[in-house]
């Protein structure tokens, strides 16, 4: 999500900023050998996990080149990092047709177990990766801990946040909520006016070659490679994996015919994503999917770009409440609603690429309520500030919240990225009466950006100067919002236990420093059965 447009704002500083940076930004990884882009795992199930790598079998087989020989890559899974107890082995073919990426769905594993894995090509051996399977279905689980991240723009800084997560010993997996990479050309979107690391290729992504090369550049980052090798990822895309403010028929950051057809561009983006990400997704299948963690939690991962209607033209657009418009698509909304209503898991977690909590000025009144009230009192100022979120598709949100209320669903927590800021909010079942009875149907915890510009960056002011007043205005006009921070970059850690869900937010000292430190900023919890967020003093131990 970017509320500003690339044509007028993102090129501020532009090519001159790239030249001034004096930095190299190719896709070449730091390591040598055929496994230069590391190893990764993802989509953990009780009996298996998806394993990934990319091989470079010859000098001419660079990412996106479409060249290089077909090869067979060996893989091994063991109970120890010395591979003394091998549990599964095999070989898998790859070649230029899939950009020499490798995906192995390793099955027949035990639940809730750590495993180590590696790949072989000829006499070369990959780095060793570590991964973990999910708990058995219906089993008692005392604790689940996830790293939570979103919005990592390589041009805007270094991925120290990933490095801090990789150094932790207490995580079971990483939840990446979208904007894993950015499609912009060098100089189009960076850290204020400075391009810290120019994008490769030096162009806006529109072709399959482009998207493959950009994935390779991001995978070459040492902190991201370390985190991938350390923990399984559960991912979804937002818009920048294809183009800014993407919807089913186009994107803000796409111009036809100059940039070709949107259908071809999106297909290229989704194909590269399928090749380069450790995810059980292939073109032509659906990305939204569900993961179980015993009886403790079920996680529904959403795709809010592929099926959505075009965004409303502006916050006063009557289309916002049109029931014919959708952010999820009818099938995905039914899948989500039915899953939340019928699951036997205690906690219903939703991996949600864009915010679902209403954020309006001056109040939480819905568009329909504002219009009705306006007929009685005259014009009332109360509009959503971001129609790219669920606020721009209120019929879908009303249907989902109505089901949660009607069926008495408890312990639903939306885990969200996209907005480059940290939030803790309750979800009003009835915005009009919420201030009186706190009729929350769920909660939402939003992680901030790894590097992408926050409010202070956009305003070009020091942190915590302009933002506190804006934050106070948002909270005053939206009483269900209990916390927000518009300025910090970093990562979050989420713990799920039978008693509560808690998120800790961590702030980087400086996103443009590859060795940046991080500090604990704040923690909020949702106690079981309450549907409310409360601040807690201590971070997770």
């Amino acid at each position: 999500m970017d509320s500003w447009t690339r044509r007028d704002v993102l090129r501020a500083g532009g090519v001159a900023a790239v030249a001034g940076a004096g930095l190299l930004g190719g896709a070449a990884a730091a390591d040598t050998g055929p496994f230069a882009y590391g190893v990764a795992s993802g989509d953990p199930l009780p009996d298996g996990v998806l394993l990934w790598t990319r091989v470079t079998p010859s000098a001419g087989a660079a990412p996106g080149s479409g060249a290089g020989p077909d090869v067979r890559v060996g893989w091994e899974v063991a109970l120890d990092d010395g591979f003394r107890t091998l549990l599964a082995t095999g070989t898998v073919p790859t070649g230029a047709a899939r950009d020499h990426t490798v995906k192995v769905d390793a099955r027949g594993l035990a639940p809730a177990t750590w495993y180590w894995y590696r790949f072989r090509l000829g006499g070369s051996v990959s780095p060793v990766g570590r991964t973990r399977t999910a708990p058995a279905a219906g089993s008692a689980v005392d604790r689940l801990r996830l790293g939570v991240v979103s919005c990592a723009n390589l041009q805007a800084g270094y991925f120290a946040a990933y490095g801090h997560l990789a150094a932790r010993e207490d995580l079971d997996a990483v939840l990446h909520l979208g904007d894993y990479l950015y499609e912009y050309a060098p100089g189009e979107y960076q850290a204020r006016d400075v391009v810290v690391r120019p994008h490769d290729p030096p162009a806006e992504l529109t072709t399959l070659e482009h998207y493959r090369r950009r994935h390779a550049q991001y995978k070459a980052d040492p902190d991201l490679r370390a985190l991938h090798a350390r923990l399984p990822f559960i991912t979804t895309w937002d818009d920048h994996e294809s183009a800014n403010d993407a919807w089913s028929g186009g994107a803000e950051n796409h111009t036809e015919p100059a940039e070709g057809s949107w259908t071809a561009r999106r297909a290229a983006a989704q194909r590269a994503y399928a090749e380069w990400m450790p995810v059980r997704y292939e073109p032509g299948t659906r990305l939204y999917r569900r993961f179980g963690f015993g009886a403790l939690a079920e996680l529904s991962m959403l795709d809010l770009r592929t099926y959505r209607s075009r965004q409303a033209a502006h916050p006063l657009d009557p289309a916002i409440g049109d029931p014919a418009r959708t952010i999820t698509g009818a099938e995905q909304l039914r899948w989500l609603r039915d899953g939340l209503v019928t699951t036997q898991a205690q906690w219903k977690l939703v991996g949600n690429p864009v915010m679902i909590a209403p954020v309006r000025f001056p109040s939480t009144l819905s568009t329909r309520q504002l219009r009705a009230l306006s007929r009685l009192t005259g014009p009332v100022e109360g509009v959503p500030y971001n129609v790219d979120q669920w606020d721009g598709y209120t019929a879908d949100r009303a249907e989902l919240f109505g089901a949660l209320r009607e069926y008495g669903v408890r312990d639903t927590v939306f885990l969200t990225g996209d907005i480059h800021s940290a939030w803790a909010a309750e979800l009003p079942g009835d915005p009009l009466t919420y201030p009186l009875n706190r009729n929350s149907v769920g909660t939402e915890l939003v992680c901030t950006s790894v590097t992408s510009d926050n409010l202070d960056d956009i305003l070009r002011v020091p942190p915590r100067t302009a933002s506190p007043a804006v934050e106070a205005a948002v909270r005053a006009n939206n009483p269900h919002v209990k916390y927000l921070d518009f300025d910090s970059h970093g990562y979050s850690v989420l713990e799920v236990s039978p008693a509560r869900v808690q998120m800790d937010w961590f702030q980087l000292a400086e996103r443009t420093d590859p060795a940046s430190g991080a500090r604990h900023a704040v923690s909020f919890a949702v106690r079981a059965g309450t549907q409310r967020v409360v601040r807690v003093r201590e971070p997770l131990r």
Side-chain angles (χ1 to χ4, degrees):
M1 183 288 303
D2 300 311
S3 57
W4 52 94
T5 66
R6 65 175 179 142
R7 305 299 184 191
D8 299 329
V9 179
L10 296 183
R11 284 180 176 163
V15 176
V18 179
L23 300 171
L24 298 176
D31 292 347
T32 59
F35 297 99
Y37 300 96
V39 299
S41 66
D43 282 9
L45 302 175
D47 69 340
V49 68
L50 196 288
L51 309 178
W52 178 93
T53 193
R54 199 272 178 180
V55 298
T56 307
S58 63
S65 66
D70 290 347
V71 294
R72 293 195 70 85
V73 179
W75 58 273
E76 301 171 341
V77 176
L79 275 175
D80 60 285
D81 59 0
F83 288 81
R84 291 177 294 273
T85 308
L86 284 176
L87 297 180
T89 64
T91 62
V92 61
T94 190
R98 60 172 301 108
D99 208 22
H100 289 95
T101 59
V102 174
K103 290 167 74 172
V104 174
D105 194 354
R107 293 297 186 103
L109 306 180
T113 303
W114 289 105
Y115 292 96
W116 284 259
Y117 63 96
R118 64 188 179 187
F119 298 88
R120 295 180 180 272
L121 180 64
S124 299
V125 182
S126 75
V128 173
R130 187 189 72 158
T131 192
R132 183 173 175 81
T133 51
S139 62
V141 177
D142 293 332
R143 189 189 80 178
L144 170 69
R145 278 196 183 176
L146 305 174
V148 185
V149 285
S150 176
C151 304
N153 179 11
L154 185 140
Q155 293 202 135
Y158 292 93
F159 295 161
Y162 292 153
H164 285 288
L165 285 172
R168 295 183 67 112
E169 297 289 345
D170 60 339
L171 302 180
D172 299 298
V174 172
L175 181 62
H176 202 298
L177 293 164
D179 295 342
Y180 180 95
L181 54 74
Y182 281 73
E183 83 278 19
Y184 295 114
E188 286 192 334
Y189 190 40
Q190 55 266 341
R192 301 194 180 206
D193 290 325
V194 177
V195 175
V196 179
R197 299 187 287 175
H199 269 148
D200 180 80
E204 183 182 309
L205 308 185
T206 58
T207 69
L208 180 58
E209 176 188 355
H210 288 165
Y211 284 103
R212 284 169 164 175
R213 285 175 61 178
R214 188 65 54 82
H215 273 279
Q217 184 185 27
Y218 277 62
K219 283 292 195 302
D221 178 88
D223 288 314
L224 180 53
R225 282 189 298 148
L227 186 55
H228 270 305
R230 185 73 171 162
L231 292 162
F233 272 51
I234 301 173
T235 71
T236 188
W237 57 48
D238 192 25
D239 50 346
H240 291 292
E241 287 86 351
S242 56
N244 182 54
D245 285 358
W247 58 286
S248 59
E252 178 276 327
N253 195 8
H254 182 76
T255 304
E256 293 185 1
E259 295 177 317
S261 76
W262 171 247
T263 300
R265 182 177 181 178
R266 184 175 69 177
Q270 293 182 349
R271 179 174 172 182
Y273 189 92
E275 293 169 345
W276 278 85
M277 296 296 289
V279 59
R280 286 189 183 84
Y281 165 79
E282 295 296 330
T285 66
R286 73 186 197 191
L287 182 66
Y288 64 89
R289 62 211 190 279
R290 193 166 279 134
F291 298 93
F293 298 92
L296 179 64
E298 187 171 82
L299 171 63
S300 300
M301 296 295 290
L302 302 184
D303 171 4
L304 298 183
R305 294 294 168 181
T306 302
Y307 315 102
R308 73 158 67 193
S309 306
R310 188 170 189 169
Q311 290 86 345
H314 50 78
L316 291 173
D317 190 338
I320 287 172
D322 185 350
R325 296 177 64 257
T326 180
I327 190 172
T328 59
E331 181 179 341
Q332 184 178 194
L333 182 60
R334 182 167 53 251
W335 169 87
L336 175 60
R337 181 194 62 215
D338 293 349
L340 294 176
V341 167
T342 63
T343 183
Q344 297 301 303
Q346 178 189 348
W347 290 100
K348 297 84 180 169
L349 309 178
V350 182
N352 180 44
V354 298
M355 277 187 68
I356 194 168
V359 183
R360 294 176 175 272
F361 294 92
S363 71
T364 57
L365 298 178
S366 69
T367 302
R368 180 181 179 186
Q369 290 163 340
L370 283 166
R371 289 173 184 158
L373 187 59
S374 296
R375 295 180 64 180
L376 296 175
T377 64
V380 175
E381 294 182 359
V383 296
Y385 87 117
N386 184 357
V387 295
D388 187 55
Q389 301 179 163
W390 288 75
D391 263 340
Y393 304 84
T394 58
D396 277 1
R397 184 173 62 196
E399 180 177 343
L400 183 59
F401 283 10
L404 296 177
R405 183 173 57 248
E406 178 183 355
Y407 289 94
V409 178
R410 313 296 292 179
D411 297 338
T412 302
V413 182
F414 287 79
L415 306 171
T416 305
D418 172 70
I419 198 64
H420 306 182
S421 45
W423 301 66
E426 295 169 4
L427 303 179
D430 179 3
L432 188 62
T433 61
Y434 172 84
L436 299 176
N437 58 23
R438 288 187 70 175
N439 53 0
S440 176
V441 297
T443 55
E444 183 168 33
L445 305 172
V446 184
C447 67
T448 191
S449 64
V450 171
T451 59
S452 299
D453 273 5
N454 301 137
L455 186 61
D456 59 327
D457 302 313
I458 297 167
L459 296 174
R460 305 295 194 266
V461 297
R464 313 314 298 157
T465 55
S467 296
V470 181
E471 294 163 1
V474 172
R475 291 196 305 272
N477 290 294
N478 297 270
H480 58 286
V481 175
K482 306 304 178 183
Y483 170 75
L484 71 159
D485 172 3
F486 275 131
D487 287 352
S488 300
H489 304 280
Y491 61 95
S492 294
V493 173
L494 183 86
E495 179 178 280
V496 185
S497 69
R500 68 181 183 178
V501 166
Q502 177 172 327
M503 180 175 276
D504 295 347
W505 283 264
F506 292 85
Q507 301 172 348
L508 293 178
E510 176 50 63
R511 61 174 166 162
T512 60
D513 178 4
S516 175
R519 71 173 186 88
H520 171 250
V522 71
S523 298
F524 274 81
V526 182
R527 295 191 175 95
T530 66
Q531 314 282 74
R532 296 180 179 182
V533 292
V534 294
R535 186 164 182 169
V536 293
R537 292 182 178 275
E538 296 296 327
L540 300 165
R541 300 297 182 188

